[in-house]
Amino acid sequence: MADQGTESILQFAPFQSAVDEGFWHRLSSLKLNKLGIDDSPIPITGFYAPCSHPHVSNHLTLVSESLPSESSEHFRPEIIRGNRNRCPVPGILYNTNTLEGFQSLDKQSLLRAEARKIWEDIRSGKVDEDNSVLLRFIVISFADLKNWSFHYWFAFPALILDPPATLVGLKPAAQWFSVEEAESVTAACNDWRNMCSTTDVPFFLVSISSNSAASIRHLVEFDACRKNGDKVLFGFYDPCHLPNNPGWPLRNYLWYISRRWSLEKVQFFCYRESRGFANLELSLVGEASISNSQDSRNDQNMPNAVGWEQNNRGRKAPRCISLAKTMDPTRLAISAADLNLKLMRWRQLPSLDLNVLSSTRCLLLGAGTLGCQVARMLMAWGVRKITLLDSGKVAMSNPLRQSLYTLDDCLNGGELKAEAAVKSLKKIFPAVEAESVIMAIPMPGHPVPSQEENSVLEDCKRLHELIDSHDAVFLLTDTRESRWLPSLLCANANKVTITAALGFDSFLVMRHGAGPLSSSPEIKAKATNDLSAEIGALSLKDNIKGQRLGCYFCNDVVAPVDSTANRTLDQQCTVTRPGLAPIASSLAVELLVGILHHPSGIFAKAEFASSIDTGSEQPLGILPHQIRGSISQFSQMTLAGHASASCTACSSTVVEEYEKGGLDFILEAINHPTYLEDITGLTELMKSAASFQIGWDDETGDEDDFVEI
Amino acid sequence: MAESWDGTLSSTEFYVAASAFAQQWRKFNSSLPHWSWLPSPNRPPWIFHDNQVQRDGRGEHRYDFHVVYSASYRVPVLYFRAYCNDGQPLSLDDIEKDIPVNSAELITRSKWTFMTQQEHPILDRPWYTLHPCGTSEWMKLLINSDASIAQNPVTVEKYMVSWFSVVGQVFGLKIPFEMLDFAAT
């Protein structure tokens, strides 16, 4: 900049703004909770301090306290004085309601209006009392609360001196002062900065007497100091770090000095710090020459003003900041939910595979007591893709037991359950990818009138496609026969299938075995390696005993029929102890997590709590086939049952028949109660073997205990 | 502290430990911003240290560090945030570029320094933090494995210095050796 001795125009380093995210947080909540569409200007307070870093300038900073609090009556920011790093500066905020409004603000006249305040404060003498008004600033903004982005633009209005001030000389203060003076100035500045009453007063006088003793005085004492014959410098807290330029506050300061005392030569002191103490190597002293033309002394003409800040690319344009990461509740919910699971992995289960969980597509058949609870448990485990299928509406009796519904869902005839459940899931966790399917599951033994045949067949096709497009299926409906078609379709598609069923005080939770036509990776590997081609050819057909686990229907000697016919209401409806459904639902979900983490997946063998031959212990524990529990006994046991060759849902006979006959086969099964029993040989079996016993492993499950609900 | 010590501090002990830490920091790290107490009636005690400036080719990044006492884990917790000059917060990716390479690895691998975003207990805004659930365990290990401590029982004053020697490392904030030495005496 200026060489010593040769005069050049004095150039100032522009003020730089910084907005703490806390400011935007408070502005957002003010806007939402108090201001609404009121867009009148808001008084705010900015803060700055002397530069304290040799390479970085201090900024004019807005923090949350810069704004009035929502409860404040006078709607002015409440400022705590006496913080050395926070010299308060008055500002004004124009926050518009729309981006268009923001763009069309008349910036020139806003700047001029604010500059006029400074000019009037100088004329009225207000600056003498509170010199921070010289630093008045403007912020215009638009808060896009939908996207958590904030457009804003600062202006630091500066009155223009005409002609501009010229620089007589500028040096580090340490070189300007004598050694004694420098020592005394340093001590005086530190005292000023350490005094609560003066630490945030940014403009002051440095008065040096003939014996090199320096003192820091208030501006109003200028005449007294001059009378003493002291050397007087105009000091200010300089936010700028540059060695050859004073910072922006000097602009209005010079204007004020020239107007107030009509000085032509002004010695100024740019006060800078390091480590909290005055640093005269970084501080500057300069001398400016101001020509006091008639014009500038003319009280009637306000000078021109400049001061809109450049953006971070150095252009005269607004800035924009995005805070979606810290403000978007959806994103916050995701990171919080992830944290819980990650902690689990970190502390207890290093092998927990969160990606598998979040990418598994789950289909829940039934959105009642079980469906609601299973959906919640799935979300708790980090499952993100959930489809709920139900044809019913939310009834008044539902919300107490069906944890996704409230009374609102029951009004006006009730919302569709699947839709209400999805809405509720999204409310609980916005990032869930939940979908609803409204349809009834076709059931055997519930004959279809011929005019409805097409729509029933359409439903069958749709269910087939739904099962194909998901990875895991939960059977959570309230009748036994409604589980038949999904069991068959899952066996056909070889999907992970989990059934939960409730009695009055007992429950069954089980995973279905693999489909009859699938082959486990182990068997395949064995077949390619083994010399015996026989085993490979046999694959996993039902006649290989002990290989395939059963499905919900494997243990039955009757095909599913209409179980609600001829039953009293208490037998049809959910008459079950309320604690049962949450227990069974939780077990069903834990079972799924176990399958997803088991190396053999759907082919995993049944494991028991007491089994000692498992060898390969999984971090999540054993993976049973069935869990049966009774609340009346407060007991629970794990069981296993193999697939039955006569099963009406998963036997190869039925699945092959379905593959061949397709929808015709389904229609046959639905309309003719004994059709399934006939083709699977159950009819034959029942006739011939009165002593038929199902192959429970140790215990004999007593199916009659189960009232299907 | 006795052998059965579980690696935690009471809130009063935290106050003592953090005050001692702030004082020593001022003495041995005078070029860095100091730690100061912030008043927080009815809230957990905390100290802060704002505006650590990191400069590189991509401009200045500012780091704010807060230490808040966690009443549930009974340990100090480091909260921090990073932002550009204009206030735009840095993403975790950006932060990982700022911190020393070996710390970045430490964060992804080590179970002692699990970085996550959580609500700042006083400001009620999401800040990054090193999760405290392992702190008492590794503090116990750290203090019990120090042979010199066998002779000189650990003082509460040393707790914060030892603690910060681990968590500060993540950001390349090294504790001067003298500070550890000082704390031991």
Side-chain angles (χ1 to χ4, degrees), chain A residues 20 56 312 322 346-347, chain B residues 62 81 86 88 111 133 137:
Chain A
D20 185 270
V56 182
N312 32 16
S322 164
W346 175 39
R347 301 294 290 172
Chain B
R62 286 166 190 268
R81 63 164 180 171
D86 60 1
Q88 174 71 51
K111 56 192 270 181
C133 60
E137 280 168 48

Side-chain angles (χ1 to χ4, degrees), chain A residues 21 31 60-61 123 132-135 158 169 218 228 240 255 266 277 331 373 407 409 448 513 570 573 592 671 697:
Chain A
E21 59 176 324
K31 191 76 190 148
L60 185 114
T61 307
R123 294 202 309 169
S132 70
V133 297
L134 286 176
L135 296 169
H218 286 283
N228 288 346
C240 170
W255 210 97
V266 175
F277 295 103
R331 290 171 78 159
Q373 203 61 29
L407 180 64
D409 301 317
V448 182
D570 67 311
C573 290
L592 171 74
N671 287 331
D697 264 22

Side-chain angles (χ1 to χ4, degrees), chain A residues 103-121:
Chain A
Q103 285 160 341
S104 63
L105 281 174
D106 182 354
K107 289 190 291 296
Q108 209 39 53
S109 60
L110 290 179
L111 184 75
R112 209 169 156 73
E114 208 60 18
R116 179 174 291 277
K117 289 186 200 162
I118 297 171
W119 183 61
E120 279 167 0
D121 288 343

Side-chain angles (χ1 to χ4, degrees), chain A residues 370 501-507 576-585 629-631:
Chain A
L370 289 165
L502 304 176
F504 168 68
D505 58 6
S506 55
F507 64 85
T576 161
R577 286 175 66 162
L580 222 49
I583 296 173
S585 306
S630 147
I631 293 208

